[in-house]
Amino acid sequence: MPARIDHLVVVAASLGEGAAWCEATLGVTPGPGGEHPLMGTHNRLLRIATVDHPRAYLEIIAIDPAAAPQGGRRRWFDMDDEAMRSTIRREGPRLVHFVASVADVAAATKELKALDIERGEVVPASRMTARGLLEWKITVRGDGHRTFDGCLPTLIEWGARHPAPALPECGVTLHSLAVTHPQAPKLAAAYEAIGLHAATVAPGAANLCATLFTPRGRVQLESRGL
């Protein structure tokens, strides 16, 4: 099965700031999420699914001030990087990354290793929801880095449940995800290796550009500079 865009990752200094950004930028209030005990983070979610992206959602994620990563880990998505934290404190929540779902995360990781790309260890994770336990396996580098400036997706393999079906329709949908990067040929080869065809890749400065249709009209979220 091909890889699919699973979710967009927007990092905020706090979930309160993330919710306010979502209301001001997209015109909707994000739904509830939960805590990630493994990483010391928590989130709120927003369904952005379409026919082309049937289980896509937007994740607003922040460091949980009441928790710390287990085992001295560095948090995922470069959330412990001081330069990123400083930019987000100064400029507000930003799109920084995306996650792609695959049928077999171990096999997809091996495909990337064959291209000399280290996507990271496959780590089991979970969180409790009102509908039951969500369980997944996800690639996480020991240094917490996203790699390719956030343009190479983290890989996820979901268990029996996926969060998107429980999220209500909110009038926000994902139209496209365009990626530019100085190493575009290598990045394109990585996408091909995991069967990801839902994002375009072109040469240029490192950037993710997600185009959303929202109650406020067409909105583009970019990661440039992060």
Side-chain angles (χ1 to χ4, degrees), residues 9-10 48 70 77 91 114 173 175 180:
V9 179
V10 172
I48 57 173
Q70 294 178 1
F77 313 142
E91 300 180 5
T173 55
H175 174 65
T180 57

PDB file of all heavy atoms in Angstrom, residues 9-10 48 70 77 91 114 173 175 180:
ATOM      1  N   VAL A   9       1.854  18.716  11.276  1.00  0.00           N
ATOM      2  CA  VAL A   9       2.294  19.011  12.642  1.00  0.00           C
ATOM      3  C   VAL A   9       2.525  20.511  12.791  1.00  0.00           C
ATOM      4  O   VAL A   9       3.419  21.079  12.155  1.00  0.00           O
ATOM      5  CB  VAL A   9       3.596  18.239  12.984  1.00  0.00           C
ATOM      6  CG1 VAL A   9       4.041  18.574  14.405  1.00  0.00           C
ATOM      7  CG2 VAL A   9       3.386  16.739  12.827  1.00  0.00           C
ATOM      8  N   VAL A  10       1.716  21.139  13.626  1.00  0.00           N
ATOM      9  CA  VAL A  10       1.869  22.559  13.964  1.00  0.00           C
ATOM     10  C   VAL A  10       2.322  22.635  15.413  1.00  0.00           C
ATOM     11  O   VAL A  10       1.628  22.154  16.314  1.00  0.00           O
ATOM     12  CB  VAL A  10       0.554  23.335  13.776  1.00  0.00           C
ATOM     13  CG1 VAL A  10       0.681  24.763  14.314  1.00  0.00           C
ATOM     14  CG2 VAL A  10       0.163  23.360  12.300  1.00  0.00           C
ATOM     15  N   ILE A  48      -8.994  17.232   8.675  1.00  0.00           N
ATOM     16  CA  ILE A  48      -8.829  17.950   7.408  1.00  0.00           C
ATOM     17  C   ILE A  48      -8.934  16.979   6.227  1.00  0.00           C
ATOM     18  O   ILE A  48      -8.407  17.230   5.152  1.00  0.00           O
ATOM     19  CB  ILE A  48      -7.497  18.723   7.360  1.00  0.00           C
ATOM     20  CG1 ILE A  48      -6.297  17.785   7.585  1.00  0.00           C
ATOM     21  CG2 ILE A  48      -7.480  19.842   8.406  1.00  0.00           C
ATOM     22  CD1 ILE A  48      -4.942  18.472   7.379  1.00  0.00           C
ATOM     23  N   GLN A  70      10.100  10.475  28.825  1.00  0.00           N
ATOM     24  CA  GLN A  70      10.549   9.315  29.581  1.00  0.00           C
ATOM     25  C   GLN A  70      11.973   8.935  29.195  1.00  0.00           C
ATOM     26  O   GLN A  70      12.365   9.045  28.030  1.00  0.00           O
ATOM     27  CB  GLN A  70       9.609   8.134  29.324  1.00  0.00           C
ATOM     28  CG  GLN A  70       8.205   8.345  29.870  1.00  0.00           C
ATOM     29  CD  GLN A  70       7.272   7.188  29.555  1.00  0.00           C
ATOM     30  OE1 GLN A  70       7.668   6.199  28.929  1.00  0.00           O
ATOM     31  NE2 GLN A  70       6.024   7.311  29.980  1.00  0.00           N
ATOM     32  N   PHE A  77      10.069  15.895  16.672  1.00  0.00           N
ATOM     33  CA  PHE A  77       9.820  17.061  15.810  1.00  0.00           C
ATOM     34  C   PHE A  77      10.698  18.267  16.145  1.00  0.00           C
ATOM     35  O   PHE A  77      10.300  19.405  15.926  1.00  0.00           O
ATOM     36  CB  PHE A  77       8.343  17.477  15.866  1.00  0.00           C
ATOM     37  CG  PHE A  77       7.363  16.351  15.710  1.00  0.00           C
ATOM     38  CD1 PHE A  77       6.187  16.327  16.442  1.00  0.00           C
ATOM     39  CD2 PHE A  77       7.619  15.312  14.815  1.00  0.00           C
ATOM     40  CE1 PHE A  77       5.272  15.291  16.297  1.00  0.00           C
ATOM     41  CE2 PHE A  77       6.702  14.263  14.670  1.00  0.00           C
ATOM     42  CZ  PHE A  77       5.526  14.257  15.412  1.00  0.00           C
ATOM     43  N   GLU A  91       7.099  34.271  17.053  1.00  0.00           N
ATOM     44  CA  GLU A  91       6.243  34.433  15.881  1.00  0.00           C
ATOM     45  C   GLU A  91       4.913  33.709  15.963  1.00  0.00           C
ATOM     46  O   GLU A  91       4.034  33.921  15.124  1.00  0.00           O
ATOM     47  CB  GLU A  91       7.003  33.966  14.629  1.00  0.00           C
ATOM     48  CG  GLU A  91       8.283  34.753  14.374  1.00  0.00           C
ATOM     49  CD  GLU A  91       9.017  34.281  13.129  1.00  0.00           C
ATOM     50  OE1 GLU A  91       8.476  33.407  12.411  1.00  0.00           O
ATOM     51  OE2 GLU A  91      10.128  34.790  12.876  1.00  0.00           O
ATOM     52  N   ALA A 114      18.246   1.952   2.865  1.00  0.00           N
ATOM     53  CA  ALA A 114      18.905   1.559   1.624  1.00  0.00           C
ATOM     54  C   ALA A 114      19.352   2.774   0.822  1.00  0.00           C
ATOM     55  O   ALA A 114      20.253   2.670  -0.021  1.00  0.00           O
ATOM     56  CB  ALA A 114      17.973   0.691   0.785  1.00  0.00           C
ATOM     57  N   THR A 173     -10.311  21.525   5.008  1.00  0.00           N
ATOM     58  CA  THR A 173      -9.840  20.366   4.253  1.00  0.00           C
ATOM     59  C   THR A 173      -8.457  20.642   3.675  1.00  0.00           C
ATOM     60  O   THR A 173      -8.106  21.782   3.374  1.00  0.00           O
ATOM     61  CB  THR A 173     -10.796  20.003   3.104  1.00  0.00           C
ATOM     62  OG1 THR A 173     -10.993  21.140   2.263  1.00  0.00           O
ATOM     63  CG2 THR A 173     -12.139  19.534   3.649  1.00  0.00           C
ATOM     64  N   HIS A 175      -6.018  20.622   0.738  1.00  0.00           N
ATOM     65  CA  HIS A 175      -6.047  20.634  -0.723  1.00  0.00           C
ATOM     66  C   HIS A 175      -4.751  20.061  -1.298  1.00  0.00           C
ATOM     67  O   HIS A 175      -4.778  19.228  -2.214  1.00  0.00           O
ATOM     68  CB  HIS A 175      -6.255  22.062  -1.234  1.00  0.00           C
ATOM     69  CG  HIS A 175      -6.165  22.198  -2.716  1.00  0.00           C
ATOM     70  ND1 HIS A 175      -7.069  21.597  -3.564  1.00  0.00           N
ATOM     71  CD2 HIS A 175      -5.268  22.843  -3.508  1.00  0.00           C
ATOM     72  CE1 HIS A 175      -6.742  21.879  -4.817  1.00  0.00           C
ATOM     73  NE2 HIS A 175      -5.659  22.624  -4.811  1.00  0.00           N
ATOM     74  N   THR A 180       9.551  21.991  -1.090  1.00  0.00           N
ATOM     75  CA  THR A 180      10.772  22.377  -1.780  1.00  0.00           C
ATOM     76  C   THR A 180      11.961  22.119  -0.861  1.00  0.00           C
ATOM     77  O   THR A 180      11.835  22.228   0.364  1.00  0.00           O
ATOM     78  CB  THR A 180      10.770  23.867  -2.206  1.00  0.00           C
ATOM     79  OG1 THR A 180      10.558  24.692  -1.048  1.00  0.00           O
ATOM     80  CG2 THR A 180       9.674  24.141  -3.219  1.00  0.00           C
TER      81      THR A 180
END
